[in-house]
Amino acid sequence: MSRQPYAVRLSAQAAKVLDTLPEHVEDTVWDVLDAAAGDPCGFGQWNTDHPEGEDVRYASVGRLSLTYWVNRPLRRLTVLNIVWLGQPAGQNAPPPALQQPDRGALVS
């Protein structure tokens, strides 16, 4: 008999990010969370040097990363953050983190 998967909850910040993602990325987020719910410790520990941080995990697939906390007693995953290094649908500009600064703004 296999155990039930963990329930998945999103933090307010993660929910806001999820709402802005293109549909295909959102589908990937849910696929990753399905895998995490079935085996929450199957993904890497966020900070392996922290002795009490074993329940904060991260899952990465390509340009997508999820950070989640495993609440073992309640069998829940809480998604803390979602990062996607892509561009919004229909735009050709690179994501803001990768844009070059405006040189005119740097010169006073």
Side-chain angles (χ1 to χ4, degrees):
M1 180 176 162
S2 66
R3 296 188 61 140
Q4 289 290 333
Y6 279 51
V8 175
R9 294 179 173 211
L10 299 173
S11 69
Q13 175 63 30
K16 285 180 188 177
V17 172
L18 189 63
D19 285 343
T20 66
L21 295 176
E23 185 177 349
H24 71 281
V25 178
E26 183 179 345
D27 291 343
T28 304
V29 167
W30 289 114
D31 289 344
V32 171
L33 289 174
D34 283 345
D39 183 15
C41 294
F43 290 99
Q45 188 176 333
W46 180 255
N47 183 353
T48 57
D49 295 331
H50 191 276
E52 297 176 356
E54 68 184 34
D55 288 333
V56 178
R57 300 278 168 165
Y58 69 95
S60 293
V61 176
R63 297 183 290 172
L64 176 67
S65 294
L66 307 172
T67 305
Y68 61 91
W69 173 60
V70 182
N71 185 333
R72 294 173 199 235
L74 295 178
R75 294 190 57 80
R76 289 189 193 145
L77 299 181
T78 300
V79 181
L80 304 173
N81 198 14
I82 301 171
V83 176
W84 181 59
L85 299 176
Q87 56 195 32
Q91 294 186 4
N92 292 325
L98 302 177
Q99 289 180 342
Q100 294 295 323
D102 180 10
R103 297 210 185 274
L106 298 175
V107 178
S108 52

